[in-house]
């Protein structure tokens, strides 16, 4: 257990001793704060609406979600690989899995720190005499951290595939965007083609329903929006947000192993 | 070789993830906990029961569009909350419940859909339909009640949601489109009973409307004029008679009940009328008892009538959760921690368990044990310590039994279990009490639950609108919030970042 934790500490120190981490934090906090403030004014002071907007209900949350993890992860493996420090790390007395888990924890904690701004907004509201629904807010915060962990794991996997940090960030950005948009894009495509396809295939409706169901099961918006965001803890959603990052971490470890074999 | 190993292990891991996700989403496996303070995301137990027991497919068409300012946000919130509610309903009812989202910008699709539903002007509403039956639930007034606020600068008040009624409105629409055979309820007449078609405060007019809307067929029967009760009668209600029905009528009703019929007995509140109706003697045949006196509690009159008060002594008082017995009729009140008002009532009591067949009798709710007393006749509305003991008095009892000697029943297998509900008085059912605005319509809910239980429709129970749990920040505090959120928090991190950069440039903390 000490291995991943040591790696995590090393990565967090790296993030906070370089300008990149601070710049990302300040920009993200400012935009998130602006959005929260705008939504609160727009909603005539409705606290729940504004907090939900800042934590998953607004487009900015998702934009940060698909841009920040790739930017954070590009340096975790790809840059280390380019500068050659990854080889030192991989020959250190820690397993590959510990290295990956440590880096994953560091990036996820960074994202958790970023989203901590929303409970801070909640605290400000509390001090101003309008306490939010605290338990529901922390559940939504937990959900935001879990969504972040999913995109971090995707970013980490992309980072393990190449030695070029920018290419890694780009790959991760595309993968995260695709994951987010795929259900919507395919759904739209299917609705356009529904008439034509139903003429060709007799059981098209069954296939259509199956595809819709499969896409829905991958829909991060739905998984987050129907459970954590409104303040619900759901075991199936927890399984979703634990198993998929675990899967990408597994792929990342395998990807590192193949690199070792290639060496 | 190595590549294929990686591929195979990756595929196996993917399969494991898909399998785990599939299994974790199976009904019965999912554990779900609503963590919000007022459980705004949870469906009432009764709603869940209805959804789990749907007998036909229900589709909900959603026709939502944005509203103009200043209603934009609050309407948006109600719409979002309704969508979440529908998704939750779909999750519980599974295959029996479908949601069809309609994009109001897609004119061709909307035209087609509205033609199919045979409706027009569908905007900001949900349409619940099943097997040709259609119910429209409007957003304004149906899904939620709004306060449009006050736009004037001097007395500015933002628009707000007064209550979110989505759950009950959609539930009622579902019940309406899925209701099967309508139970027939017959009120006895001719012995001074309260009038089910009257419009005065002491009539049963509001109850009749309420029950008719809920799918009951209402009829009347005068045993003196017609020997047999109307065909297809499922429930008979004897409410507030002032005269004796006579032995013949009573034995006919007794036969009706023994044969699996359902009976509601509610004596007149006036002790003299109770005596002249001889209801107290009659219910003894069912092992039940009605006392002549009236149960009282030292509480102010919640109706504000003042007519029957002496000082603080009241014949109208709230029934506490602790004084309810867990039974289908009052369970929704207990689960939602709601009270309802007891009307002036005689004490009632289970004297003996049913002798015929198998069954049981039990109290439904009672007065508070520590404060209530039974005011003896002649009523003086004061506590006479010598003869009136302070204790709990039952105000309603239920009895249920089936006569095993009966080979068959007029009502079929589903309805051959006799049910009797004895209320402390007919005042529980009168228009004056049902139309009381206090208690969020709990008297109406109680009446509906009682008759639905008699009709074996335990799942058709009523619930109150939920608290919208709105938390609004006062407008005058927004500038402070602006300073903290927009400048304070990012500014703190900016200063921290600059400090770290400065320390590093001076040879401070190094990368580990």
């Amino acid at each position: 257990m000490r291995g991943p934790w040591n790696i995590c500490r090393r990565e967090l120190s790296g993030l906070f001793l370089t300008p990149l981490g601070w710049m990302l934090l300040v920009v993200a906090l400012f935009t998130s704060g602006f959005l929260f403030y705008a939504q609160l004014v727009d909603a005539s002071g409705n606290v729940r609406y504004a907090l939900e907007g800042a934590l998953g209900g607004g487009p900015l949350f998702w934009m940060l979600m698909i841009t920040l993890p790739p930017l954070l992860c590009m340096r975790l493996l790809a840059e280390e690989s380019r500068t050659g420090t990854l080889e030192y790390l991989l020959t250190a007395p820690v397993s590959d899995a510990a290295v990956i888990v440590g880096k994953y924890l560091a990036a996820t904690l960074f994202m958790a720190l970023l989203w901590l701004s929303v409970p801070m907004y909640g605290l400000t509201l509390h001090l101003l005499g309008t306490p939010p629904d605290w338990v529901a807010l922390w559940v939504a915060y937990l959900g935001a951290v879990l969504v972040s962990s999913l995109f971090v794991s995707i970013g980490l996997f992309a980072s393990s595939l190449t030695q070029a940090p920018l290419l890694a960030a780009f790959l991760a950005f595309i993968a995260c965007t695709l994951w987010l948009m795929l259900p919507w894009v395919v759904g739209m495509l299917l609705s356009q083609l529904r008439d034509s396809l139903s003429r060709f295939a007799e059981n098209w409706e069954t296939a259509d329903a199956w595809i819709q169901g499969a896409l829905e099961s991958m829909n991060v918006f739905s998984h987050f929006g129907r459970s954590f965001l409104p303040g619900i803890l759901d075991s199936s959603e927890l399984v979703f947000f634990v198993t998929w990052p675990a899967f990408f971490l597994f792929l990342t470890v395998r990807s590192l192993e193949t690199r070792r074999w290639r060496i | 070789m190595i590549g294929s190993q990686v591929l195979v292990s990756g595929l196996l891991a993917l399969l494991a993830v898909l399998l785990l996700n599939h299994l974790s989403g199976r009904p019965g496996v999912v554990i779900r906990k609503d963590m919000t303070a007022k459980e705004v995301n949870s469906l009432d137990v009764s709603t869940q029961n209805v959804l789990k027991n749907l007998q036909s497919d229900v589709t909900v068409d959603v026709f939502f569009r944005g509203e103009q300012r200043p209603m934009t946000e609050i309407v948006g919130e109600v719409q979002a909350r309704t969508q979440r509610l529908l998704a939750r309903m779909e999750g519980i009812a599974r295959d029996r419940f479908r949601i069809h989202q309609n994009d109001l910008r897609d004119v061709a699709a909307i035209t087609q859909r509205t033609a199919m539903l045979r409706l027009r002007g569908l905007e900001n509403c949900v349409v619940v339909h099943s097997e040709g039956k259609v119910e429209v639930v409007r957003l304004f007034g149906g899904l939620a009640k709004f306060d449009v606020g006050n736009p004037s600068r001097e007395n500015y008040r933002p628009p707000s949601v007064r209550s979110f009624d989505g759950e009950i409105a959609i539930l009622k629409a579902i019940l309406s489109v899925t209701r099967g055979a309508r139970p027939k309820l017959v009120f006895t007449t001719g012995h001074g009973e309260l009038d089910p078609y009257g419009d005065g405060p002491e009539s049963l007019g509001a109850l009749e409307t309420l029950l008719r809307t809920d799918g009951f067929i209402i009829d009347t029967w005068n045993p003196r004029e017609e020997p047999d009760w109307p065909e297809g009668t499922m429930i008979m209600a004897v409410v507030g008679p002032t005269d004796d029905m006579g032995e013949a009528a009573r034995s006919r009703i007794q036969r009706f009940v023994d044969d699996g019929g359902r009976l509601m007995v509610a004596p007149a509140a006036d002790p003299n009328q109770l005596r002249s109706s001889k209801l107290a003697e009659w219910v003894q045949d069912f092992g039940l008892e009605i006392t002549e006196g009236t149960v009282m509690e030292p509480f102010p009159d919640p109706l504000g009538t003042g007519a029957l008060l002496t000082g603080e002594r009241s014949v109208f008082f709230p029934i506490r959760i602790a004084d309810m017995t867990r039974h289908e009729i009052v369970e929704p009140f207990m689960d939602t921690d709601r009270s309802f008002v007891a009307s002036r009532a005689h004490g009632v009591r289970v004297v003996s368990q049913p002798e015929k067949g198998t069954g049981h009798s039990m109290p439904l709710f009672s007065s508070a044990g520590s404060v209530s007393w039974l005011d003896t006749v002649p009523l003086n509305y004061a506590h006479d310590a010598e003869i009136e003991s302070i204790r709990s008095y039952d105000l309603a009892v239920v009895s249920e039994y089936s006569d095993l000697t009966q080979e068959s029943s007029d009502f079929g297998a589903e309805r051959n279990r006799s049910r009797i509900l004895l209320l402390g008085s007919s005042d529980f059912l009168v228009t004056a009490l049902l139309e009381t605005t206090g208690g969020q319509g709990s008297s109406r809910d109680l009446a509906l639950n009682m008759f639905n239980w008699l009709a074996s429709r335990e799942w058709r129970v009523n619930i109150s609108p939920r608290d919208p749990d709105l938390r609004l920040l006062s407008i005058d505090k927004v500038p402070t919030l602006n300073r903290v959120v927009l400048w304070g928090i990012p500014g703190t991190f900016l200063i921290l970042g600059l400090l770290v950069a400065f320390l590093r440039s001076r040879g401070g903390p190094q990368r580990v």
Side-chain angles (χ1 to χ4, degrees):
Chain A
M1 191 56 214
R2 284 180 63 83
W5 182 238
N6 286 336
I7 302 285
C8 174
R9 274 176 51 200
R10 169 187 177 272
E11 293 301 332
L12 277 177
S13 313
L15 270 171
F16 286 108
L17 290 178
T18 55
L20 176 74
W22 291 103
M23 273 165 54
L24 285 177
L25 258 182
V26 171
V27 171
L29 285 173
F30 182 79
T31 33
S32 170
F34 180 75
L35 185 86
F36 171 73
Y37 172 71
Q39 281 194 315
L40 192 77
V41 173
D42 209 30
S44 308
N46 189 330
V47 167
R48 198 161 67 92
Y49 181 84
L51 287 171
E52 274 192 11
L55 208 57
L60 183 80
F61 173 86
W62 295 103
M63 279 172 65
L64 288 175
M65 202 57 99
I66 55 174
T67 48
L68 280 185
L71 289 175
L72 283 174
C73 294
M74 69 179 185
R75 52 177 293 284
L76 292 182
L77 288 172
E79 192 174 295
E80 289 222 40
S81 180
R82 186 174 60 87
T83 54
T85 50
L86 187 64
E87 268 61 46
Y88 291 114
L89 194 61
L90 293 178
T91 51
V94 281
S95 65
D96 291 357
V99 171
I100 298 303
V101 170
K103 286 173 178 287
Y104 159 80
L105 279 177
T108 306
L109 280 176
F110 183 87
M111 293 298 289
L113 179 70
L114 171 69
W115 300 129
L116 205 57
S117 60
V118 181
M120 282 163 84
Y121 302 156
L123 182 66
T124 313
L125 289 166
H126 195 123
L127 294 174
L128 289 173
T130 317
D133 187 341
W134 276 110
V135 181
L137 181 59
W138 283 113
V139 170
Y141 171 75
L142 171 72
V145 174
L146 287 173
V147 177
S148 305
S149 81
L150 171 65
F151 289 120
V152 162
S153 67
I154 294 173
L156 213 52
F157 176 55
S159 189
S160 75
L161 296 176
T162 173
Q163 290 192 341
L166 279 178
L167 181 62
F170 180 71
L171 278 177
F173 178 76
I174 295 293
C176 293
T177 312
L178 265 182
W179 187 297
L180 271 187
M181 306 303 282
L182 201 65
W184 183 69
V185 172
V186 175
M188 227 174 59
L189 210 68
L190 283 177
S191 69
Q192 296 293 324
L193 297 174
R194 193 160 285 138
D195 287 345
S196 322
L197 287 170
S198 55
R199 263 182 249 137
F200 290 110
E202 274 183 19
N203 292 329
W204 169 244
E205 277 190 12
T206 318
D208 187 20
W210 190 87
I211 294 169
Q212 299 274 13
L215 287 172
E216 186 55 28
S217 69
M218 301 294 289
N219 193 332
V220 180
F221 288 118
S222 303
H223 282 287
F224 180 54
R226 69 179 169 224
S227 57
F228 298 100
L229 188 59
I232 297 167
L233 273 181
D234 188 311
S235 59
S236 65
E237 309 298 359
L238 274 171
V239 168
F240 177 87
F241 283 114
V242 169
T243 52
W244 280 107
F247 171 67
F248 284 110
L249 291 183
F250 173 76
L251 290 185
T252 312
V253 174
R254 301 297 284 173
S255 171
L256 273 195
E257 281 174 3
T258 56
R259 183 194 296 260
R260 193 195 291 273
W261 293 330
R262 280 202 296 271
I263 294 168
Chain B
M1 183 66 185
I2 289 164
S4 56
Q5 268 185 7
V6 171
L7 189 70
V8 169
S9 63
L11 280 174
L12 283 175
L14 178 65
L15 274 176
V17 168
L18 291 174
L19 190 68
L20 264 175
N21 276 280
H22 177 71
L23 291 176
S24 68
R26 305 281 299 165
V29 178
V30 180
I31 302 166
R32 185 180 180 277
K33 177 84 181 133
D34 185 355
M35 306 296 284
T36 53
K38 297 204 172 173
E39 297 194 340
V40 293
N41 301 303
S42 294
L43 293 180
D44 193 272
V45 180
S46 48
T47 312
Q48 292 186 36
N49 286 340
V50 171
L51 291 166
K52 282 175 189 164
N53 294 306
L54 281 178
Q55 300 299 307
S56 55
D57 290 348
V58 173
T59 306
V60 178
D61 270 73
V62 181
F63 296 88
F64 282 163
R65 67 163 169 77
E67 279 292 321
Q68 290 183 336
R69 291 193 65 80
M71 300 294 282
T72 316
E73 305 307 339
I74 53 169
V75 166
E77 189 183 335
V78 168
Q79 290 174 343
R81 204 160 155 184
T82 306
Q83 295 281 19
R84 283 207 290 267
L85 180 74
L86 289 172
R88 185 80 195 105
M89 288 178 158
E90 189 182 30
I92 289 170
R94 296 271 162 187
D95 299 336
R96 286 281 187 204
F97 192 91
R98 286 187 192 84
I99 304 167
H100 190 273
Q101 301 288 349
N102 294 279
D103 183 353
L104 291 177
R105 290 165 300 183
D106 188 348
V107 179
I110 290 294
T111 311
Q112 196 182 5
R113 197 71 187 171
T114 49
M116 189 207 91
L117 294 168
R118 282 180 277 177
L119 292 167
R120 278 194 300 177
L122 295 173
E123 279 191 353
N124 270 341
C125 63
V126 293
V127 178
V128 183
H129 52 105
S130 174
E131 296 179 347
K133 292 178 199 155
V134 179
E135 283 283 331
V136 179
V137 183
R138 302 273 170 200
L139 189 138
F140 293 93
L143 293 173
K145 290 184 184 69
F146 294 89
D147 174 5
V148 292
N150 186 348
S152 76
R153 196 171 282 272
E154 295 79 36
N155 300 309
Y156 177 76
R157 193 176 76 251
S160 59
V161 182
R162 271 171 44 215
S163 67
F164 178 74
D165 310 333
E167 184 175 352
I168 191 165
I170 294 172
L171 177 66
K172 280 190 169 178
I174 292 171
L175 290 171
S176 174
V177 297
T178 56
R179 68 180 174 216
R182 301 172 65 189
K184 190 171 201 172
L185 165 63
V186 166
F187 287 92
T188 57
T189 57
H191 319 93
E193 291 98 332
L194 298 182
D195 182 5
Y197 302 113
D199 51 10
E202 295 298 315
S203 75
L204 302 175
L207 177 72
E208 192 270 339
T209 309
L210 190 68
L211 295 174
R212 193 161 30 80
T213 314
D214 202 43
F216 285 85
I217 297 169
I218 311 293
D219 204 349
T220 53
W221 175 51
N222 185 341
R224 282 181 181 156
E225 292 173 0
E226 307 156 66
D228 293 322
W229 55 80
E231 198 179 335
T233 302
M234 186 182 189
I235 306 161
M236 205 171 283
V238 182
V239 184
T242 52
D243 304 327
D244 182 14
M245 299 178 89
E247 188 55 39
R250 281 203 294 267
S251 62
R252 258 177 279 164
I253 297 174
Q254 180 102 34
R255 184 161 55 84
F256 167 81
V257 177
D258 287 347
D259 198 24
R262 311 296 166 82
L263 179 66
M264 158 72 82
V265 181
D270 185 322
N272 295 324
Q273 292 177 340
L274 170 68
R275 200 175 300 146
S276 59
S277 70
K278 294 192 175 171
L279 267 189
E281 289 93 320
W282 180 40
V283 296
Q284 283 174 3
D285 295 345
F286 298 108
L288 307 175
E289 182 188 89
I290 307 173
T291 62
E292 272 198 349
T294 300
V295 179
M296 304 199 70
E297 277 191 17
F299 279 93
D301 177 6
L303 293 177
T305 57
L308 290 160
L309 297 176
T310 306
E312 283 191 331
R313 281 89 192 239
S314 177
V315 288
F316 295 96
F317 45 83
I319 297 294
R320 297 154 197 80
I321 305 297
D323 296 320
M324 299 178 192
T325 311
R326 196 155 275 282
H327 183 275
E328 289 93 334
I329 294 172
V330 290
E331 226 164 27
F333 292 93
M334 300 173 83
D335 291 341
T336 52
D337 200 22
R338 279 171 58 200
S339 177
F340 54 83
V341 175
S343 175
R344 56 177 179 162
H346 304 284
V348 293
R349 194 166 71 93
V350 175
V351 178
S352 60
Q353 292 297 321
E355 290 172 1
K356 293 169 187 163
T358 57
H360 68 282
S361 302
M362 61 188 274
L364 198 56
F365 52 87
S366 323
S367 60
S370 57
V371 287
S372 58
W373 73 91
L374 188 76
D375 209 39
T376 48
V377 181
L379 303 177
N380 63 357
Y381 305 106
H383 179 227
D384 304 320
E386 286 178 13
I387 51 169
E388 295 164 353
S389 60
I390 300 268
R391 65 174 178 85
S392 177
Y393 293 90
D394 297 338
L395 298 170
V397 294
V398 287
S399 182
E400 188 174 7
Y401 63 90
S402 56
D403 190 349
L404 297 179
T405 57
Q406 290 280 110
E407 283 286 319
S408 64
S409 156
D410 285 354
F411 309 104
E414 192 189 323
R415 293 189 281 174
N416 64 1
R417 199 164 169 81
S418 308
R419 284 183 173 180
I420 302 164
L421 201 157
L422 173 62
L423 266 178
S425 92
S426 56
D427 278 12
F428 276 99
L429 304 173
V430 297
T431 299
L433 196 78
L434 298 194
E435 290 188 345
T436 307
T437 49
Q440 294 182 309
S442 52
S443 298
R444 283 196 300 274
D445 292 350
L446 177 69
L448 266 178
N449 290 0
M450 289 192 293
F451 281 96
N452 273 320
W453 176 76
L454 286 169
S456 287
R457 304 196 302 178
E458 285 88 343
W459 46 277
R460 285 185 76 94
V461 291
N462 218 308
I463 48 169
S464 65
R466 284 170 184 273
D467 187 327
D469 194 20
L470 274 181
R471 295 161 196 246
L472 298 173
L473 181 73
S474 170
I475 292 293
D476 59 315
K477 288 175 180 162
V478 168
T480 317
L481 186 86
N482 176 22
R483 281 194 289 276
V484 175
V485 165
L486 216 49
W487 306 111
I489 297 173
T492 308
F493 279 85
L494 182 66
I495 292 167
L496 277 173
L498 289 173
L499 193 67
V500 170
F502 175 71
L503 287 173
R504 288 205 73 201
S505 68
R506 299 270 308 261
Q510 294 296 314
R511 186 177 165 140
V512 178

